[in-house]
Amino acid sequence: MKTKPFFKVWMSPTLFLAPALSLIAVFFFIPVVASFLMSFTDFDIYSLADSSNARFVGLENYKNLLSDPLFWKAMRNTLYFVFIGVPLSLIFSLATALLLNSKLIRFMSLFRLAYFLPVVTTLVAVAVVWRYIYHPSFGLVNYLLSLIGVGTVDWLGNPKWAMPALILMAVWKNFGYNMIIFIAGLQNIPPELYESARIDGAGKWQEFLHITLPMLMPTTVFVSIITIIGYFQLFAEPYVMTQGGPMNATLSIVLLMYQEGFRWWRMGYSASLAFVLFLILFMATLVQLRLQKHYSGV
Amino acid sequence: MSANKILIHVLAVTVALMTLIPFVWMVSASFMQQGEANQFPPRLIPESFSLEHYLRLFISMNIVRYFLNSLILSASITGLSLLVNSMAGFAFAKFHFPGKESLFKLLLAAMIIPAQVTMLPLFLMMNQLGLINSYLGVIIPGMASIFGIFLIRQYISSLPDSLIEAARLDGASDFQIYWKIVLPLAKPILVTLGLFTFMGTWNDFMWPLIIMTRENMYTLPVAMANLSGEHAQDTELMMAGAVITVLPVIIVFLALQRFYIEGIMLGSVKE
């Protein structure tokens, strides 16, 4: 290959990359850095009018955060949502993927479409619909429960049940997405593996345990990390359905961040919350990368 | 039919009922008479068919405006993002320049930063630029997407280099190669990314909620969230609003679902 002159090497790529990269730099990278700096200031409503009112306060925001009971409440709620919701979502999407991947099933693409519909619909609209489905006196859920003799539950009004209700709705909303990825993973398992297992006399359950599950491991790791990241960002459901209540039972990290930053304009404090969220997601991703390396090495 | 086959279909239908009944009820309640949806036991079919809630949304409420806001934002972000991201994806796929790999890796690594981290400074920036309550305040930060660049780069990388070399020998400029050869060949991935972007923008909530504070700039999700507080008792009205909000995405999805499903698979392939 001839060596091209400097101008020719740089000219075209620069022109093609410039629009996207400058947008990403100005409206993504700079705000990330600015947000980090902001988390060390007392940026508030007075600084909004004149940013010279903001003072550097060091680790003050992070210290306040760690001693704020509301923060710990939001953290506990979010962890509850993630650690119950993600496994439920994974189990349900794997089960439905196995169902739709069965050789016996008819109208597979119709079922797939039905399962996928909640994924594509607007979260806010769906949250409004579910508010009524959970209504204590005329909601569908309580009606179904009354058929099997269970009494009225005030799903969104009872601090004990509000989070489980949000989890149920979130799983309903997103299992179809993971299901699609699991189906692809199932179809990538070489059929010879099952044939030789059958020759060895393995039953269906043994096949699942010794072939399907291990072969799906990389897929499962990938699916769990995107689901974990998504579930950590819980916001619209509590905003629309419970406003974080009752008694802060559904207050999430992002909802708290929104309230602190955009309702009370305590933007420095809010920025420190955003970075705590980022730190958690960063560590979760590191764990995933480790696991992925581990399982693709098998 | 074997017992297994029956069992599998019973299960499949049960799950389908679980996913579909909320939608069936939403549509049905939107056509009910005022108050009918607040009865126990709940009805799945309206007693009589009423359009009053849709009429109310269209005539005495501002739903046409919200709909247009959502449409304008989704359509313009989709068009602009396809252009901007396909240019960058093409450059990453087919040009050779020093530092390309590390630049691309930096972008991929940045994908784990949640969007919420940027929102506070972004709001201040938009405030300085006077773009609060403007379409541009949503469009500009929504145009470039690292995921979009990644998706397009993957696809264009798989196109043979010989096509580009041949065109270059014929004297085509880089821009002509991009516009006349690469883009037409990349049509499937452009449809996929366009679909993702359109639906993503239509359904987006947090940023529009932050930046669209004036009622006539609300998108449908922001309007729904606000109305659901004021009109909590008007179940039928809220359901009509929900139908109008989800109908466009469902139609677009049904028309192009093959591309959407393929996009999920592409997005889930690791490097």
Side-chain angles (χ1 to χ4, degrees):
Chain A
M1 213 171 114
K2 285 181 296 182
T3 46
K4 291 188 211 157
F6 178 79
F7 173 76
K8 280 222 144 167
V9 175
W10 284 102
M11 183 64 187
S12 275
T14 310
L15 285 181
F16 278 95
L17 288 172
L21 292 192
S22 43
L23 282 166
I24 291 172
V26 176
F27 298 103
F28 189 74
F29 281 112
I30 292 180
V32 169
V33 176
S35 184
F36 187 62
L37 296 177
M38 210 165 164
S39 74
F40 300 105
T41 69
D42 64 353
F43 204 103
D44 58 11
I45 191 153
Y46 303 105
S47 327
L48 206 54
D50 179 1
S51 55
S52 64
N53 282 330
R55 284 177 309 126
F56 178 78
V57 292
L59 288 171
E60 194 74 14
N61 288 323
Y62 292 92
K63 273 187 210 147
N64 289 341
L65 203 64
L66 295 180
S67 58
D68 183 353
L70 216 50
F71 165 73
W72 289 110
K73 183 83 187 156
M75 182 61 97
R76 266 203 306 279
N77 291 338
T78 309
L79 290 175
Y80 180 15
F81 184 76
V82 170
F83 282 101
I84 305 294
V86 173
L88 272 180
S89 169
L90 290 190
I91 291 168
F92 204 64
S93 38
L94 178 57
T96 46
L98 288 167
L99 192 66
L100 294 194
N101 200 46
S102 157
K103 286 188 191 70
L104 298 174
I105 195 119
R106 294 277 162 273
F107 312 113
M108 182 274 197
S109 51
L110 269 187
F111 284 121
R112 189 180 63 181
L113 182 65
Y115 300 177
F116 202 73
L117 215 52
V119 175
V120 296
T121 47
T122 316
L123 179 54
V124 171
V126 161
V128 170
V129 173
W130 276 77
R131 242 177 79 171
Y132 296 103
I133 290 181
Y134 281 135
H135 196 280
S137 45
F138 57 80
L140 225 44
V141 173
N142 274 348
Y143 171 67
L144 291 175
L145 289 177
S146 75
L147 294 181
I148 54 167
V150 178
T152 307
V153 179
D154 187 1
W155 291 99
L156 299 174
N158 182 329
K160 200 168 74 195
W161 290 111
M163 200 45 118
L166 293 198
I167 291 174
L168 186 68
M169 192 206 108
V171 172
W172 173 88
K173 172 91 172 66
N174 101 313
F175 81 92
Y177 190 91
N178 295 339
M179 178 191 77
I180 299 285
I181 302 177
F182 272 130
I183 291 178
L186 286 170
Q187 288 170 350
N188 279 336
I189 302 177
E192 303 90 74
L193 288 179
Y194 291 107
E195 278 156 32
S196 52
R198 221 157 288 152
I199 293 168
D200 293 343
K204 281 273 168 212
W205 178 243
Q206 281 170 316
E207 266 181 39
F208 176 72
L209 226 52
H210 298 295
I211 300 173
T212 312
L213 267 192
M215 291 300 286
L216 275 183
M217 220 45 217
T219 312
T220 312
V221 172
F222 172 78
V223 164
S224 38
I225 195 68
I226 56 168
T227 315
I228 287 174
I229 290 180
Y231 275 41
F232 259 111
Q233 299 178 33
L234 174 68
F235 173 69
E237 295 93 328
Y239 185 93
V240 172
M241 294 168 79
T242 56
Q243 293 81 47
M247 300 199 313
N248 294 323
T250 55
L251 181 72
S252 67
I253 302 260
V254 178
L255 184 57
L256 181 62
M257 188 208 117
Y258 170 83
Q259 288 175 347
E260 290 293 339
F262 295 104
R263 191 164 297 160
W264 315 122
W265 304 106
R266 301 204 299 198
M267 296 181 104
Y269 189 65
S270 178
S272 68
L273 265 163
F275 268 88
V276 169
L277 176 74
F278 174 42
L279 199 67
I280 294 172
L281 295 184
F282 182 70
M283 290 191 303
T285 310
L286 283 188
V287 171
Q288 178 246 358
L289 290 177
R290 270 282 167 77
L291 285 174
Q292 214 162 43
K293 250 190 205 133
H294 176 75
Y295 285 111
S296 53
V298 172
Chain B
M1 267 221 305
S2 69
N4 266 343
K5 200 166 176 178
I6 295 172
L7 178 70
I8 280 180
H9 286 88
V10 168
L11 281 174
V13 169
T14 311
V15 177
L17 286 177
M18 277 160 45
T19 54
L20 294 180
I21 281 180
F23 293 114
V24 173
W25 183 78
M26 167 186 80
V27 173
S28 154
S30 76
F31 291 116
M32 287 178 184
Q33 309 275 350
Q34 180 86 34
E36 197 184 336
N38 295 9
Q39 283 169 10
F40 192 89
R43 312 178 58 101
L44 263 188
I45 307 294
E47 201 167 9
S48 64
F49 192 82
S50 155
L51 280 175
E52 60 174 312
H53 310 292
Y54 288 96
L55 290 176
R56 198 171 145 209
L57 283 173
F58 278 101
I59 295 165
S60 53
M61 296 171 103
N62 220 350
I63 193 117
V64 177
R65 179 67 199 236
Y66 311 144
F67 190 95
L68 284 177
N69 290 341
S70 279
L71 189 66
I72 289 168
L73 290 175
S74 306
S76 42
I77 290 183
T78 303
L80 290 166
S81 78
L82 282 181
L83 181 71
V84 165
N85 295 321
S86 69
M87 284 170 70
F90 170 56
F92 276 120
K94 292 299 181 200
F95 285 121
H96 302 279
F97 57 93
K100 181 173 88 165
E101 295 308 318
S102 20
L103 185 59
F104 192 66
K105 283 209 180 98
L106 173 77
L107 287 181
L108 285 188
M111 268 168 82
I112 67 163
I113 305 176
Q116 290 89 346
V117 169
T118 65
M119 286 178 182
L120 297 154
L122 209 50
F123 178 85
L124 297 179
M125 247 159 116
M126 292 302 164
N127 195 23
Q128 286 291 312
L129 295 169
L131 294 180
I132 306 288
N133 286 311
S134 77
Y135 293 132
L136 283 179
V138 176
I139 292 174
I140 293 173
M143 272 161 64
S145 125
I146 300 176
F147 174 73
I149 296 173
F150 170 76
L151 212 57
I152 288 182
R153 187 201 90 126
Q154 297 299 86
Y155 193 89
I156 294 181
S157 296
S158 67
L159 299 177
D161 284 339
S162 55
L163 274 173
I164 292 170
E165 300 300 328
R168 208 164 265 158
L169 286 179
D170 288 345
S173 71
D174 285 336
F175 187 77
Q176 284 169 325
I177 291 173
Y178 159 75
W179 193 253
K180 294 207 170 123
I181 296 171
V182 173
L183 278 195
L185 286 173
K187 223 175 239 163
I189 199 68
L190 294 177
V191 175
T192 298
L193 181 61
L195 193 59
F196 275 150
T197 313
F198 185 88
M199 294 171 57
T201 313
W202 187 277
N203 293 340
D204 195 15
F205 179 54
M206 194 168 170
W207 183 243
L209 174 74
I210 288 170
I211 200 159
M212 299 305 205
T213 54
R214 243 193 1 238
E215 185 268 341
N216 65 354
M217 292 308 286
Y218 286 176
T219 60
L220 280 171
V222 176
M224 279 297 286
N226 282 315
L227 287 179
S228 79
E230 296 163 38
H231 293 269
Q233 299 310 313
D234 295 334
T235 312
E236 300 83 5
L237 180 80
M238 288 314 299
M239 291 307 102
V243 170
I244 292 171
T245 307
V246 301
L247 204 58
V249 272
I250 290 185
I251 290 172
V252 170
F253 170 71
L254 289 180
L256 299 166
Q257 58 155 315
R258 183 169 63 88
F259 292 95
Y260 194 94
I261 305 269
E262 274 165 20
I264 297 180
M265 315 274 211
L266 282 173
S268 69
V269 208
K270 46 185 200 281
E271 265 282 77

